[in-house]
Amino acid sequence: MAHMNVKAQVDQTGVFLTKVATEVNGFLNEATLSSLKRLNPEAEAYYCDILSTLRKLAVYSEDAAAACKKIGQQQTFPQQAAQQTLLRIYHQCIEEFFTPKKDTWYEDSRSAYTGKNSIVFRHEVSADVKRLFSSLEKDFLTMREELEYTTSHQQMKMV
């Protein structure tokens, strides 16, 4: 039974990551640094960090979606490899979305109580950036909940 749960989770995660990669790449294909910094010309370095983090998220999402697809297509389901892939996805994609290494935004842990978006930017950003994050946030929250159990279980096994 656990085998089928992990397979379903890999499939669901692959669909999610494909959607993320499509949305982020669509944004990146349209956004320019000059259009973003119109709102705050002094924050050019900040906008460079946002774009850099989004590029990394897009690449991680594309690679992870491809890994999920490859695992799902194998004749015999590789349970251990699937669990390790989900663990890597949790750390590279999910955690990177909520707490990027460049610290360009952060997660407001009280957002569930206030009804506001959980992602808070360090500086004012354009409406396009806010829209992108707003459209991604709910799915990332859902996927984080889905993967937290699997990843914590996997980490306990490793210890």
Side-chain angles (χ1 to χ4, degrees), residues 107-119 137 141 144-145:
E107 180 183 16
D108 179 6
S109 59
R110 297 177 299 154
S111 65
Y113 306 110
T114 62
K116 297 179 181 177
N117 289 340
S118 65
I119 300 298
E137 186 176 308
L141 286 167
R144 177 169 63 181
E145 288 176 19

Side-chain angles (χ1 to χ4, degrees), residues 26-104:
F27 173 81
L28 290 171
N29 289 338
E30 296 296 321
T32 63
L33 181 58
S34 58
S35 69
L36 291 176
K37 68 179 187 174
R38 277 189 207 129
L39 187 62
N40 186 358
E42 297 83 35
E44 182 174 342
Y46 178 70
Y47 289 117
C48 285
D49 287 346
I50 287 176
L51 292 172
S52 172
T53 302
L54 286 173
R55 281 188 214 100
K56 186 168 38 171
L57 184 62
V59 169
Y60 286 162
S61 296
E62 288 172 347
D63 288 349
C68 289
K69 184 177 180 181
K70 184 177 178 182
I71 287 172
Q73 292 175 341
Q74 293 187 11
Q75 294 288 40
T76 57
F77 185 74
Q79 175 96 5
Q80 188 66 27
Q83 289 175 329
Q84 289 175 345
T85 299
L86 291 174
L87 180 65
R88 182 176 53 87
I89 289 168
Y90 181 80
H91 290 293
Q92 278 188 337
C93 300
I94 306 297
E95 286 187 342
E96 181 69 20
F97 178 79
F98 289 106
T99 54
K101 287 179 179 62
K102 291 189 177 186
D103 208 25
T104 47

